[in-house]
Amino acid sequence: MSQATLGSGPYRNSNLFSGYYLDERVGDLDAWDCDEEAEKAFEQIRDLWNKEGALLPSYNEDELIDTWIAEVVDILGHGTSSEVTLPDGGGYVDRLLFENDDVRREGAKRARDGDHEGLFSRASAILEAKQWDADFEQRFAEQRSYRDASHQIKYYLERTPSDLKWGVLTDGKKWRLYGTKD
């Protein structure tokens, strides 16, 4: 895996997207024209940070998910399903992220009817959370099918339907986006 490098903008890019695309093209996309929505979300996240920020380093992983990560994801407008078992039964993801709650409900109906791959197919991304300030490349102490958190999210993406193309790995402080394409 390539190391993240500092870019000229407010992001670190590990070649998931071209620098030119991020610097020159994203701003021209119709979907990028959301200044009012983005400002409102930023204000809500800042308010939440002012309430929770000092406490976040003391939370265990579950507390961090409940009080910070899930709240941020909700503010950003995603529907979520918690602790969803992978279609092959080889583990579970902390959250499945959906475009909105209507899409989440469509996926839940599929899962209810026994189509667990259909649930994952409706998702926009999987989210794996770690404790605050976690080192995503630190080897896990116990034996697992993946060596570290960064490998874990890739491992999970390999075990989901091919139309689910994104994974998010976060400790609440760092948010990494993983894609299924090299």
Side-chain angles (χ1 to χ4, degrees):
M1 182 175 108
S2 64
Q3 293 295 316
T5 56
L6 289 176
S8 59
Y11 59 83
R12 288 192 295 178
N13 185 13
S14 295
N15 297 321
L16 182 58
F17 301 100
S18 74
Y20 173 78
Y21 181 79
L22 293 174
D23 292 334
E24 304 295 330
R25 302 282 311 276
V26 168
D28 295 332
L29 298 173
D30 289 340
W32 196 255
D33 187 20
C34 62
D35 290 345
E36 196 171 300
E37 292 173 59
E39 185 63 35
K40 182 180 175 189
F42 180 77
E43 299 268 335
Q44 290 175 309
I45 292 169
R46 185 174 47 206
D47 290 345
L48 181 62
W49 172 260
N50 288 336
K51 294 173 189 169
E52 293 288 342
L55 298 169
L56 297 177
S58 69
Y59 290 155
N60 67 33
E61 185 178 304
D62 289 337
E63 292 170 319
L64 184 66
I65 291 171
D66 291 343
T67 61
W68 177 249
I69 295 168
E71 294 293 326
V72 168
V73 168
D74 185 54
I75 289 168
L76 296 175
H78 294 282
T80 62
S81 290
S82 303
E83 297 186 353
V84 182
T85 303
L86 290 168
D88 69 0
Y92 69 92
V93 297
D94 288 327
R95 295 286 191 277
L96 274 180
L97 304 182
F98 298 87
E99 185 178 339
N100 55 48
D101 279 323
D102 290 336
V103 176
R104 179 195 54 79
R105 280 188 281 278
E106 290 173 26
K109 288 175 188 173
R110 289 184 178 195
R112 177 197 64 200
D113 297 337
D115 180 10
H116 295 286
E117 284 202 17
L119 172 65
F120 278 83
S121 291
R122 299 298 298 149
S124 302
I126 59 174
L127 181 137
E128 182 61 29
K130 299 299 174 197
Q131 202 156 348
W132 186 261
D133 224 11
D135 178 355
F136 296 155
E137 278 78 38
Q138 181 177 347
R139 280 198 162 296
F140 290 132
E142 65 275 2
Q143 189 67 13
R144 298 184 185 189
S145 299
Y146 35 83
R147 63 185 171 276
D148 57 37
S150 184
H151 187 232
Q152 181 180 8
I153 194 85
K154 292 182 220 173
Y155 176 87
Y156 287 171
L157 280 170
E158 291 169 356
R159 281 149 184 80
T160 59
S162 61
D163 43 356
L164 197 161
K165 300 191 182 319
W166 300 104
V168 177
L169 175 61
T170 184
D171 63 359
K173 183 178 186 180
K174 299 178 297 277
W175 297 71
R176 282 192 183 171
L177 180 64
Y178 289 78
T180 57
K181 295 185 178 182
D182 290 337

